[in-house]
Amino acid sequence: NNIISYNISQNDGRINSGAGIWAWNCGSGINNSEIYNNIVFMGPSATGSPAAIDFISPTNNLHVRNNIFITTDGLRIVDAVGGQTGLLFQGNSYWSSGATPRFMWGGTNYSSLNAWRTATGQERLNGSDTGFDVDPRLNNPGGGGTLNDTGLLTTLNAYRLQPSSPLIDRAINLLTQFSINPGPRDFFGNSIPQGGGYGIGAFDTTSGVPTP
């Protein structure tokens, strides 16, 4: 019954081939949780092969929606061991900068969103395809730097969507589809939704409006 939403992760969890979002139940189980509207950027590590999001043990009814996952240098975008029950990926954006994307599912590697979707049934909703494999057009992914002051979080402009981003107003409406209230504001404190729909990721904006 956890909710993980409107966070930005840059190169977190790289030690021991970890992940920006790393699900491990430690024997007690992870159940009935929602992961939505986050941004995860993962670059290479000198001490292993991390992933953007990794499920290293079985979970029950986890839903991953409207997130942006970015990897570089051929790192895994998604990795999930077998034994998952009710794990759903829907409406997310996947971008492997400069390399072929990698979706690991039950030990099998898929090198495209469509191949992964076809084989596993992920990224589908009500019989239609969901998800994106396009450049999200963030201002400067990987360039978040170190802030050392929580009062400066709203200045993290590297992870704002550019006005030309294809992800603006393209998120699944969690409230109408799943009765999930996403809350009143995004990571940067903007009221949501800004436009005709919700944006994918942690920044909600209106197409054509310059980002600070």
Side-chain angles (χ1 to χ4, degrees):
N1 300 314
N2 289 301
I3 295 175
I4 301 171
S5 64
Y6 289 101
N7 299 283
I8 295 174
S9 167
Q10 177 179 297
N11 290 330
D12 292 314
R14 292 192 296 176
I15 296 175
N16 299 324
S17 299
I21 298 177
W22 203 8
W24 173 41
N25 68 26
C26 197
S28 59
I30 300 176
N31 306 289
N32 307 319
S33 296
E34 308 290 335
I35 301 172
Y36 58 82
N37 286 99
N38 302 284
I39 299 174
V40 177
F41 175 92
M42 184 62 72
S45 168
T47 58
S49 179
I53 181 168
D54 194 353
F55 291 76
I56 65 172
S57 58
T59 63
N60 183 55
N61 291 333
L62 262 70
H63 307 137
V64 184
R65 298 178 173 123
N66 295 342
N67 304 280
I68 297 175
F69 299 114
I70 301 173
T71 59
T72 66
D73 294 75
L75 296 177
R76 295 160 293 148
I77 301 177
V78 174
D79 196 344
V81 300
Q84 310 294 332
T85 301
L87 174 57
L88 294 176
F89 284 77
Q90 295 171 317
N92 302 286
S93 171
Y94 310 91
W95 184 243
S96 181
S97 180
T100 300
R102 293 179 61 198
F103 300 84
M104 292 292 296
W105 198 259
T108 300
N109 180 62
Y110 301 96
S111 58
S112 72
L113 171 59
N114 188 58
W116 178 53
R117 179 193 290 127
T118 300
T120 66
Q122 294 296 324
E123 285 299 346
R124 291 187 62 81
L125 175 63
N126 299 329
S128 297
D129 291 350
T130 60
F132 298 86
D133 55 356
V134 297
D135 185 347
R137 297 180 192 166
L138 295 162
N139 280 337
N140 185 23
T146 302
L147 301 178
N148 291 323
D149 182 350
T150 56
L152 297 177
L153 288 176
T154 58
T155 70
L156 196 58
N157 295 326
Y159 289 97
R160 294 178 186 261
L161 295 174
Q162 297 177 26
S164 59
S165 171
L167 306 184
I168 295 172
D169 293 345
R170 301 300 297 277
I172 294 171
N173 190 315
L174 301 178
L175 187 60
T176 59
Q177 290 286 346
F178 307 109
S179 299
I180 296 172
N181 187 340
R185 299 189 180 278
D186 68 7
F187 176 90
F188 296 94
N190 302 309
S191 60
I192 56 174
Q194 285 281 305
Y198 292 90
I200 297 174
F203 175 51
D204 208 304
T205 186
T206 301
S207 180
V209 176
T211 58

